[in-house]
Amino acid sequence: MFQDSNSTPPTVGLFVTCLVDLFRPAVGFASIKLLEEAGCQIEVPDTQTCCGQPAFNAGHREEAVTIARQVIAAFEPFDYVVAPSGSCAATIRRHYPELLADDPKWSSRAEAVASKTYELTSFLTDVRSLAGVKVELPEKTIAIYHDSCSGLRELGVKTQPRSLLGTIENLELKEMEEPEVCCGFGGTFCTKYPAISEVIVSAKTKDIDATGADLLLAGDMGCLMNMAGRLRREGRRTEVRHVVEILSGMTEAPPIAGRQEDQS
């Protein structure tokens, strides 16, 4: 049974993710801020690496198993494992037990870590019962939310980010016509089938632009970078950010695929 009481803060191991670490560290700091405000004690294990999803998706099972064992060992000490990514959280929660099911030394350890792993907005609402955030945007902003495939289909992340976003002052949340349709990133899919990926993301940017939204939000950096890059190449005006940046009120960094001058 995991430690979770008002008197003793639960310990949370933050799984930063590769893309956050390499391309958007601000998301990691925003995640820490949100988790601390939700009454958690945060640690970021310096032995963590990739979750192994690229290897797993590409069929390199042996490499994926090696990475899974390393992640499990790094995060076993904590009450919870939380990631600002539906795809990474789903890899640990859904696929680690599958990868290590036949390993008598690791199967139970994989199950234990999987059972306490959550995507960040799901953890805040479903585990910590966070009803809202105290954030006010400087001006009226229309935002839309893209449901990433892994977060939605493997973890059931749908209402959680929207319920939190609905409590932000000066933020109007609208919906795309097809918010649940893939953006075309798909991890290794976009590198193996770039032409198909481009068609998919182009349809997504048209859906985004049709809403007239000022801001596009999502919970996975892969999706965000893919959509932001396409929006910029098409000259569209919608800014792109990870949802935790808005929820934490930490928007000092330029939008994804944006420049510092885009802030002025």
Side-chain angles (χ1 to χ4, degrees):
M1 190 171 187
F2 302 128
Q3 183 180 340
D4 191 6
S5 67
N6 293 327
S7 59
T8 308
T11 60
V12 170
L14 180 65
F15 189 84
V16 176
T17 82
C18 299
L19 293 181
V20 168
D21 184 38
L22 295 172
F23 295 104
R24 197 72 171 177
V27 171
F29 294 112
S31 299
I32 291 172
K33 182 174 186 282
L34 283 168
L35 289 166
E36 287 181 339
E37 290 176 349
C40 301
Q41 179 179 328
I42 317 304
E43 292 191 41
V44 183
D46 58 10
T47 56
Q48 66 178 290
T49 60
C50 175
C51 68
Q53 184 188 39
F56 178 71
N57 287 349
H60 300 297
R61 192 177 185 89
E62 184 176 341
E63 289 82 356
V65 166
T66 299
I67 296 171
R69 288 172 179 160
Q70 182 176 355
V71 172
I72 290 166
F75 285 91
E76 279 178 317
F78 307 108
D79 297 321
Y80 297 98
V81 182
V82 175
S85 162
S87 60
C88 295
T91 297
I92 299 171
R93 188 175 180 96
R94 298 290 298 274
H95 300 300
Y96 278 14
E98 172 192 342
L99 277 169
L100 296 164
D102 298 326
D103 189 328
K105 292 180 61 177
W106 286 90
S107 60
S108 61
R109 296 172 70 179
E111 291 282 359
V113 169
S115 67
K116 61 182 180 181
T117 297
Y118 292 87
E119 182 272 341
L120 194 142
T121 62
S122 174
F123 177 75
L124 292 175
T125 58
D126 300 335
V127 178
R128 297 304 290 167
S129 301
L130 189 68
V133 294
K134 295 181 179 179
V135 173
E136 181 176 355
L137 300 184
E139 58 185 10
K140 188 75 173 180
T141 302
I142 299 174
I144 50 177
Y145 189 87
H146 164 73
D147 298 295
S148 70
C149 294
S150 293
L152 176 68
R153 293 169 177 83
E154 295 190 288
L155 299 176
V157 177
K158 174 75 175 179
T159 61
Q160 298 93 328
R162 289 171 171 81
S163 68
L164 296 174
L165 289 168
T167 65
I168 295 178
E169 294 291 330
N170 280 334
L171 183 71
E172 178 186 349
L173 191 60
K174 295 180 66 175
E175 291 289 349
M176 287 179 274
E177 184 176 346
E178 296 182 307
E180 299 181 358
V181 171
C182 178
C183 72
F185 177 67
T188 55
F189 176 85
C190 67
T191 59
K192 292 176 68 176
Y193 307 104
I196 300 174
S197 176
E198 183 177 349
V199 171
I200 296 172
V201 73
S202 297
K204 175 61 71 171
T205 56
K206 288 180 181 178
D207 196 359
I208 292 166
D209 194 57
T211 67
D214 308 300
L215 182 63
L216 168 65
L217 302 171
D220 275 87
M221 278 300 301
C223 301
L224 288 162
M225 292 169 64
N226 188 43
M227 293 184 291
R230 187 65 185 176
L231 286 165
R232 186 171 185 85
R233 289 191 294 274
E234 293 175 345
R236 301 188 191 270
R237 56 178 289 276
T238 310
E239 289 190 356
V240 182
R241 290 188 179 276
H242 195 290
V243 66
V244 302
E245 295 180 78
I246 295 297
L247 292 174
S248 65
M250 296 176 66
T251 56
E252 296 83 5
I256 297 170
R259 299 166 297 193
Q260 194 64 49
E261 55 265 34
D262 292 335
Q263 293 287 87
S264 59

